[in-house]
Amino acid sequence: MWYAIILAGGSGSRMAAKGNKVLLSLQGEEVILRSARAFDGLVDGMVIVSRQEDKSAIETLFARENRDVIICCGGSTRQESVRKGLDALPADCTHVLIHDGARCLVDEGTIQRVKNSVLKTGAAAAALPCTDTIKVVDDAGLVVSTPDRATLQAMQTPQGFTLDLLKAAYAQADKDGFTGTDDASLVERIHPVQLVLGDRRNLKLTTPEDMIVAQAYLNSTAPLFRIGQGYDVHRLVEGRRLILCGVDIPHTTGLLGHSDADVALHALMDAMLGAMALGDIGKHFPDTDPAYKGISSMKLLEHVTALLKSKGAHIVNCDVTIVAQKPKLLPYIPQMRKNIADTLGVDVSFVNVKATTTEKLNFEGREEGISAQAVCMVQVG
């Protein structure tokens, strides 16, 4: 199980802030929330390590977002704070990512590269090749040497490790009285650390100028578009209502399923979840859960829409195709489109629903069932 330990103990003195810099707002969202959100879907849980005086404020932020995280207080140094975070990890944790809460622009690609390398090597960290010439100087500011910048890397976070390895590194550091500037410096004393490519945008917010740069990055970020596809089938049986896109359609048979079996909305929801790599409706609404027995698929669509919104995504447009020999669906399509548009929060002009037959071929043509396909475009950011 993967857990992220996010360090939120900065004082903000170099930021010229009155309080902790991770509580500052960046385009309407607190820095620590942005940092935590970057790990959504990439870890199984999170530990937020805060200063004692900020713990209540951080708890309030995450409670407001209904986010289930572990919050603990750190120590007087970064090393002590990480140790506190390690102590707070659940027993099922096997791999850990350590991340500076002030690096709130970290992207999914960087996190995934670190994770992939940890699985291969046991220890990895994000870093960038140095582009400036670095000088080693003495106390008087005189140059002592000029290292080859081709051998130099500027460290970032996250830094990832198997939990046993990181704990062993901390135990060895305690034994030797060693203090490192990051977790990699502790681990590299007992095990090689693989560096993977970081990202220029993954800057650590330290000074007021960094906030300006971060704002510029966010303002210049072009929206990301993703496409999803969904497909579903339900059997037609007697004694069930026929509900398609939330419309109750008079017919001699209806669709069989754990919920209301709205095959068209099921295909649409799978397309939405697929666009964001969030699995399918079976994962989110299992047919073994009595809570979803007979539930309206319009309610499930509301849930999926809210889930995408929590990921910073919304539907641009969608196209649903219903394949049924009978009944004729044309009279009901305007209401179907309106139902979907109202739930997605888009104009009806961005929602298309169409129906077709199979000319009496296959199970749809034999009126044994109805299938539906859907595609959608999702904008992220």
Side-chain angles (χ1 to χ4, degrees):
M1 300 285 279
W2 284 89
Y3 280 78
I5 295 177
I6 301 180
L7 303 174
S11 65
S13 57
R14 285 178 289 176
M15 184 65 74
K18 294 182 179 179
N20 194 330
K21 60 188 174 184
V22 301
L23 297 176
L24 296 176
S25 177
L26 189 61
Q27 288 199 345
E29 184 176 37
E30 288 80 4
V31 167
I32 186 61
L33 288 180
R34 284 185 175 273
S35 294
R37 199 183 304 284
F39 289 83
D40 284 350
L42 299 174
V43 294
D44 301 294
M46 296 182 198
V47 175
I48 311 297
V49 184
S50 98
R51 298 189 304 174
Q52 179 64 53
E53 55 265 43
D54 300 320
K55 188 169 184 285
S56 177
I58 290 176
E59 286 174 338
T60 298
L61 284 180
F62 282 90
R64 184 189 73 195
E65 297 284 311
N66 292 318
R67 298 181 64 89
D68 185 18
V69 299
I70 300 168
I71 301 175
C72 68
C73 292
S76 58
T77 66
R78 185 187 191 281
Q79 198 160 311
E80 290 177 7
S81 293
V82 173
R83 187 181 288 106
K84 296 282 188 181
L86 293 174
D87 291 341
L89 289 170
D92 61 357
C93 177
T94 57
H95 297 76
V96 63
L97 296 171
I98 313 295
H99 187 63
D100 295 326
R103 293 186 185 271
C104 64
L105 300 187
V106 64
D107 66 304
E108 179 178 341
T110 299
I111 298 171
Q112 195 61 60
R113 285 192 293 276
V114 173
K115 286 184 63 179
N116 291 343
S117 186
V118 170
L119 293 175
K120 294 178 181 178
T121 68
L128 286 176
C130 285
T131 57
D132 294 327
T133 296
I134 305 297
K135 299 289 185 179
V136 178
V137 299
D138 62 17
D139 292 341
L142 298 175
V143 173
V144 175
S145 63
T146 304
D148 181 0
R149 68 183 180 190
T151 67
L152 301 176
Q153 299 261 333
M155 298 301 292
Q156 296 185 338
T157 63
Q159 299 184 0
F161 313 92
T162 61
L163 182 58
D164 289 344
L165 176 59
L166 186 57
K167 284 186 173 181
Y170 267 79
Q172 188 65 48
D174 289 344
K175 180 180 178 180
D176 299 340
F178 176 79
T179 299
T181 55
D182 65 357
D183 300 283
S185 63
L186 272 66
V187 174
E188 65 199 37
R189 300 174 72 240
I190 66 170
H191 184 90
V193 177
Q194 178 70 54
L195 299 190
V196 301
L197 184 63
D199 189 273
R200 293 289 171 194
R201 294 171 181 256
N202 186 22
L203 77 164
K204 187 176 182 180
L205 301 178
T206 304
T207 68
E209 291 76 18
D210 293 330
M211 293 291 286
I212 295 172
V213 173
Q215 290 277 10
Y217 277 143
L218 290 172
N219 289 335
S220 65
T221 301
L224 174 67
F225 292 95
R226 304 176 70 158
I227 296 173
Q229 176 265 339
Y231 174 77
D232 197 27
V233 173
H234 280 275
R235 184 184 300 274
L236 283 166
V237 297
E238 294 183 354
R240 290 274 297 189
R241 297 156 59 196
L242 178 59
I243 301 173
L244 295 170
C245 297
V247 179
D248 203 329
I249 299 169
H251 194 49
T252 55
T253 56
L255 294 172
L256 180 65
H258 186 64
S259 64
D260 63 2
D262 190 330
V263 67
L265 290 189
H266 291 185
L268 175 59
M269 287 186 282
D270 269 351
M272 295 165 64
L273 292 168
M276 294 298 292
L278 294 171
D280 58 19
I281 58 174
K283 172 184 175 181
H284 294 268
F285 316 112
D287 59 12
T288 55
D289 191 335
Y292 304 119
K293 179 70 173 177
I295 193 171
S296 167
S297 294
M298 293 299 298
K299 292 288 186 183
L300 303 183
L301 182 61
E302 290 176 4
H303 178 90
V304 173
T305 302
L307 177 60
L308 262 64
K309 184 178 180 181
S310 73
K311 304 292 184 182
H314 66 272
I315 297 295
V316 176
N317 73 298
C318 63
D319 185 18
V320 180
T321 301
I322 304 170
V323 184
Q325 194 64 40
K326 290 182 181 178
K328 296 295 184 183
L329 300 177
L330 185 61
Y332 306 101
I333 286 179
Q335 186 60 50
M336 293 181 185
R337 295 176 63 205
K338 183 178 186 305
N339 288 350
I340 294 173
D342 288 347
T343 304
L344 298 182
V346 301
D347 188 84
V348 72
S349 64
F350 295 102
V351 175
N352 191 53
V353 177
K354 54 188 183 291
T356 188
T357 72
T358 61
E359 300 294 335
K360 298 187 178 181
L361 298 173
N362 301 327
F363 68 87
E364 299 102 333
R366 295 190 297 269
E367 299 181 51
E368 296 171 358
I370 293 177
S371 67
Q373 301 177 35
V375 292
C376 69
M377 178 172 284
V378 173
Q379 179 177 329
V380 185

